[in-house]
Amino acid sequence: MQNSMTMNQLEEARGLPVYDSAGDKIGKVEDIFYDEQTNQPEWIGIGTGFFSTKRVLVPVQGASLTADGYSVPYEKDHVKDSPDIDGDEISQETEAELYTYYGLEYSEARSDTGLPEGGRRTGVADREASVTRSEEELSVGKREVDAGGARLRKRVETEPVETDVELKRETARVTREPVNETVDDAEIGEEQVDVSLRAEEAVVQKQTVAKERVGLEKDVQTERKTVSDEVRKERVEVEGEGLVDEDRKR
């Protein structure tokens, strides 16, 4: 919060803590005082829990924005003992006293209003005369949902199978050999000789053999998807004569 501080920045500072030059907390930003002619912020009103009803002011000049709040280049006790003011306005004499107390240069140049330029009476900003502009921001989260499924199912089907096999079969074959000899005890008559023949036949058996293992595994794929929606934002329009929009001047 240097000289380039805007009024909007100061208005948004309300409620933030204020620290002294040693880092000790003085209080919180309660009021912002502006110059009535230039409408520029000049003084920060600090609300504390131990200053009773006394209004404590520190100049905007030299204040800076920190990560925790605002810092002023003065010690807490020095701020505590600053000159009192009455009501919601700073008189010319009180402002001159404040400038002297904080070691700031006080201009005696005359303004159109007849008051010293830079030391003119300032009024506290009416909190009812300010609005806070808000807007929606798109926040995209993620949640898991069902995206289908996969299933393994076995079914049985029948198909014809053919295979060749060699089978052995015994056959009878007639052999003859000449015999020319005398047989003394042979009798001539009928005689029968039987020979058993054997053969192989195909015997069909079935056995179950594992051929393949089929499984399901899950993989994760990432895709980029554009999410579209509408967000609302507030706009502040300023109407009236003699108004100065400091932000638009920059």
Side-chain angles (χ1 to χ4, degrees):
M1 183 162 41
Q2 302 294 342
N3 293 334
S4 61
M5 179 198 309
T6 67
M7 288 187 292
N8 286 342
Q9 288 174 317
L10 276 171
E11 285 299 324
E12 293 174 358
R14 294 182 186 276
L16 292 180
V18 180
Y19 301 92
D20 70 356
S21 56
D24 294 330
K25 183 177 178 180
I26 302 175
K28 295 182 179 180
V29 178
E30 187 176 81
D31 298 308
I32 308 298
F33 287 77
Y34 300 85
D35 185 284
E36 286 184 341
Q37 180 174 348
T38 65
N39 204 32
Q40 291 296 311
E42 288 189 342
W43 302 96
I44 301 175
I46 302 177
T48 67
F50 54 89
F51 287 148
S52 185
T53 58
K54 177 180 178 180
R55 187 184 299 278
V56 178
L57 299 182
V58 291
V60 170
Q61 180 179 346
S64 61
L65 176 64
T66 67
D68 300 326
Y70 291 88
S71 175
V72 295
Y74 308 102
E75 294 182 355
K76 181 194 295 186
D77 290 341
H78 189 70
V79 176
K80 175 182 177 181
D81 296 332
S82 62
D84 293 340
I85 64 169
D86 295 326
D88 290 336
E89 293 185 343
I90 306 174
S91 66
Q92 177 182 347
E93 293 76 14
T94 300
E95 186 169 41
E97 187 179 356
L98 284 168
Y99 268 80
T100 301
Y101 181 79
Y102 284 108
L104 302 176
E105 183 178 355
Y106 182 69
S107 172
E108 293 295 336
R110 304 299 294 179
S111 68
D112 295 339
T113 61
L115 296 177
E117 202 171 59
R120 201 159 38 254
R121 185 178 65 184
T122 59
V124 63
D126 186 358
R127 295 183 185 179
E128 297 299 327
S130 65
V131 296
T132 301
R133 189 185 68 83
S134 303
E135 61 183 59
E136 295 176 334
E137 294 183 353
L138 193 63
S139 177
V140 181
K142 295 185 290 185
R143 65 177 179 180
E144 290 189 355
V145 297
D146 290 335
R151 175 185 296 131
L152 284 177
R153 182 168 60 89
K154 291 198 305 181
R155 59 186 179 86
V156 178
E157 61 182 21
T158 302
E159 63 179 5
V161 177
E162 292 183 354
T163 185
D164 295 333
V165 61
E166 292 184 354
L167 300 176
K168 294 180 180 181
R169 175 184 293 274
E170 294 180 340
T171 61
R173 178 169 51 86
V174 177
T175 63
R176 298 173 185 274
E177 67 178 282
V179 176
N180 188 12
E181 59 184 23
T182 302
V183 181
D184 294 334
D185 55 352
E187 292 182 4
I188 296 177
E190 295 182 357
E191 183 178 358
Q192 179 177 310
V193 177
D194 294 328
V195 176
S196 297
L197 300 177
R198 302 186 64 81
E200 294 177 338
E201 67 178 10
V203 179
V204 178
Q205 293 181 336
K206 299 177 183 179
Q207 59 182 357
T208 303
V209 180
K211 295 293 186 178
E212 184 181 19
R213 180 172 289 108
V214 181
L216 283 177
E217 293 183 353
K218 294 196 298 184
D219 294 326
V220 177
Q221 295 180 342
T222 301
E223 64 177 359
R224 182 174 295 276
K225 184 175 182 179
T226 301
V227 179
S228 301
D229 204 341
E230 293 183 352
V231 296
R232 298 176 301 170
K233 59 172 60 178
E234 299 173 340
R235 297 190 181 278
V236 178
E237 296 181 356
V238 180
E239 298 178 353
E241 297 181 358
L243 295 178
V244 178
D245 192 337
E246 295 296 328
D247 287 342
R248 293 188 177 178
K249 290 172 61 179
R250 290 176 171 80

